[in-house]
Amino acid sequence: MTGILWYDTIVCVLVFIFGSVIGSFLNVVIYRTPQHMSIINGPSHCFSCGERIKAYDLVPIFSWIILGGKCRKCKAPISVRYTIVEALTGLMFLLSYIRFSASLPMVVAIVFFSLLIVLSCIDIDHMEIPYWCTISIAVLGIATFFTEPNMPWWEHFAGAAVIAVPFAVLALFGGMGGGDVQLMAAAGFVLGWKIVPAAVIGVIIGAVYGVVMQVSLSSFTKERTKEISEKLTAWCEGKNTEGAEDVIYGEFEHGKCKISADLFEEKAWSLSADELKTAVEELSAELLAVMPDLPDSKEFVFRASVKDGAVTKIKLRRRIAFGPALSVGLAVGMLCGETIIKSYLALL
């Protein structure tokens, strides 16, 4: 019995170490793929001084701890997220082994979790879920045809269909983005009916996070909304056709204010197309001055209704990355979805 316990402990440690090594590679994928850089060519280097990172400084988790979270040469800080990704990947690999043991379903699980970690981090950084991640998850669903013999083929399609419709409705009302819908549809193809508890958990986590963020920023958004409204009203004076209505959409992303002149209703403005385009560029610069200290990511969007040269209604809100919240739900669905469903049905 002691020998078996020692064997299981050693295997668990090795699985965690292997997962952390894969997590180190996932960090490369997370950083490079949005910038269309090769994930194979090009050694790891310090982003501050450009120094190539030595092999002994690339040991997952421990190197960051030993270096005190700083570059060995220039002492520039190294984000703790690299270590978090490594540790999280190791943990998810370990949970996959504990849940499925050494089997094909375990392989599916670790690939699934790796993709969730990558898309979650990219969603946090760029507010978008890469198509290749959702496509990869959908392809992974095909693999489950062979690794999940107890799940009939139609259940995979049912899982994708039953979750895609309500999430598409949420997307239409601005509750989430199209990437979230694609992610859940692809994941439904993998999980089958287990996508239901996964979606419930993900939506609850996302909703709680969204409410907390909006409440914490309520005074900030109220103040900035007033300033944006004043600048929009001043800009519209003499440009908005009398009695005409229009809606102005804009977003603050990557340190810029983006407003598309193509979305303006031409009849509502007394400017030519070229004049309107130039005026919109000036407006973008003016509004950016209202929010100059935003991080280099998509943060806020606004929608302003305009009539007779004045703003009649305006809403400014922070964009929330739902990918991480949904990924937590999907991870729970993969590991415990069947148990949750059975427990719920037992209560009926």
Side-chain angles (χ1 to χ4, degrees), residues 50-236:
E51 178 74 4
R52 179 172 179 173
I53 301 176
K54 303 296 190 295
Y56 50 76
D57 285 337
L58 290 173
V59 179
I61 303 174
F62 291 102
S63 288
W64 188 88
I65 296 174
I66 293 172
L67 292 172
K70 298 179 181 179
C71 172
R72 183 181 292 275
K73 182 180 180 181
C74 68
K75 305 304 179 182
I78 301 173
S79 175
V80 69
R81 195 176 80 176
Y82 295 111
T83 300
I84 293 175
V85 168
E86 292 166 352
L88 179 60
T89 307
L91 176 62
M92 298 313 297
F93 275 44
L94 177 57
L95 292 176
S96 299
Y97 172 73
I98 293 174
R99 172 65 177 84
F100 300 107
S101 68
S103 61
L104 288 177
M106 174 190 168
V107 175
V108 171
I110 63 177
V111 173
F112 186 61
F113 293 146
S114 296
L115 290 169
L116 292 180
I117 290 171
V118 169
L119 69 86
S120 294
C121 290
I122 293 178
D123 195 20
I124 291 172
D125 291 340
H126 303 279
M127 294 299 295
E128 63 181 11
I129 297 176
Y131 285 118
W132 68 265
C133 284
T134 52
I135 292 174
S136 298
I137 291 176
V139 172
L140 189 63
I142 298 177
T144 59
F145 277 57
F146 307 96
T147 61
E148 297 284 350
N150 295 325
M151 185 187 298
W153 64 268
W154 56 266
E155 189 170 325
H156 295 275
F157 290 96
V162 77
I163 212 65
V165 174
F167 270 73
V169 173
L170 286 174
L172 287 175
F173 287 94
M176 54 186 59
D180 301 316
V181 180
Q182 295 168 4
L183 168 61
M184 296 305 290
F189 197 53
V190 175
L191 299 180
W193 292 119
K194 291 183 289 186
I195 191 65
V196 176
V200 172
I201 294 171
V203 169
I204 291 175
I205 293 174
V208 171
Y209 173 67
V211 170
V212 170
M213 291 303 300
Q214 296 300 335
V215 171
S216 64
L217 292 169
S218 59
S219 59
F220 173 86
T221 53
K222 184 177 181 180
E223 178 183 343
R224 299 303 170 92
T225 298
K226 182 179 179 181
E227 294 180 27
I228 292 174
S229 179
E230 291 174 351
K231 286 190 175 293
L232 279 174
T233 298
W235 179 85
C236 289

